[in-house]
Amino acid sequence: MPDLIQRRGNYEKLISYQKAKALYDITFYFAHKYLKRSDRTIDQMIQAARSGKQNIAEGCGFSATSREMEIKLVNVAKASLKELLEDYQDYLRTRGHRQWEAGSVELEKMRELGRKHNDTEFYMEIVKTRPPETIANIAICLLKQTDFLIYRQLKALERDFLREGGFREQMAKKRIENRNKN
């Protein structure tokens, strides 16, 4: 009989978390380097990126005792990263820069890099040598990939919840098993 409270929540191994961490670092760099100090967007973008990363971690922290909270917090991470996506798209649009279109050479190369790399250090080396419109496009590609990963993560959490139930259901089952055993 497995323990009621299991060791879960190793968020640092999740690809979605690794990409969210890279996005936070890219956004921190981008916002401070390319946005005007008085622009409120700096704080908004950094907070959205931080929320994406932190809510994945916090959701995983709840995984041992609350699938519901885990699902809700991972979904908050997804929503925060959607907000960040809008900010990067706004940046490109309002400054007359091109967003890489589907099928473009740049987007296809970035998608391939995104499939192979999840670490902040890799992306920061690239970002520090590129103009702001390229950084924004890199972030947009990574945001879309991360969004897909978080969607798959949420679907897996849903399947687990439907199969195993919530923590209260598991507690009741364990209590009944323990009472019947004694």
Side-chain angles (χ1 to χ4, degrees), residues 15-109:
I15 296 171
S16 60
Y17 174 80
Q18 294 167 9
K19 286 196 182 307
K21 181 179 176 184
L23 281 161
Y24 173 78
D25 290 353
I26 290 167
T27 301
F28 190 89
Y29 173 83
F30 176 86
H32 283 105
K33 183 148 177 98
Y34 296 109
L35 299 176
K36 294 178 185 171
R37 285 184 199 255
S38 61
D39 192 340
R40 283 192 59 228
T41 309
I42 293 172
D43 292 336
Q44 297 288 347
M45 289 179 76
I46 292 171
Q47 187 53 44
R50 182 184 181 281
S51 178
K53 178 177 84 69
Q54 299 299 102
N55 278 294
I56 292 171
E58 188 175 357
C60 288
F62 273 101
S63 67
T65 59
S66 179
R67 280 285 160 88
E68 180 182 357
M69 282 302 296
E70 181 180 18
I71 291 168
K72 285 180 179 180
L73 287 166
V74 171
N75 195 54
V76 169
K78 188 178 190 318
S80 294
L81 294 176
K82 284 282 194 188
E83 178 185 346
L84 183 60
L85 173 64
E86 287 291 319
D87 285 331
Y88 276 113
Q89 289 172 331
D90 289 347
Y91 177 87
L92 292 174
R93 188 186 68 259
T94 60
R95 287 157 179 83
H97 296 302
R98 172 180 150 250
Q99 183 175 332
W100 296 339
E101 53 285 323
S104 69
V105 173
E106 301 96 336
L107 183 59
E108 293 308 314
K109 285 185 178 183

Side-chain angles (χ1 to χ4, degrees), residues 157-168:
L157 291 169
E158 174 189 43
R159 281 190 304 275
D160 290 349
F161 179 79
L162 292 174
R163 185 178 56 245
E164 300 167 14
F167 188 67
R168 286 186 185 169

Side-chain angles (χ1 to χ4, degrees), residues 23 27 80-82 84-86 88 136 138-148:
L23 281 161
T27 301
S80 294
L81 294 176
K82 284 282 194 188
L84 183 60
L85 173 64
E86 287 291 319
Y88 276 113
I138 288 169
I140 288 169
C141 184
L142 289 174
L143 281 158
K144 289 180 177 183
Q145 289 177 329
T146 306
D147 181 68
F148 177 74

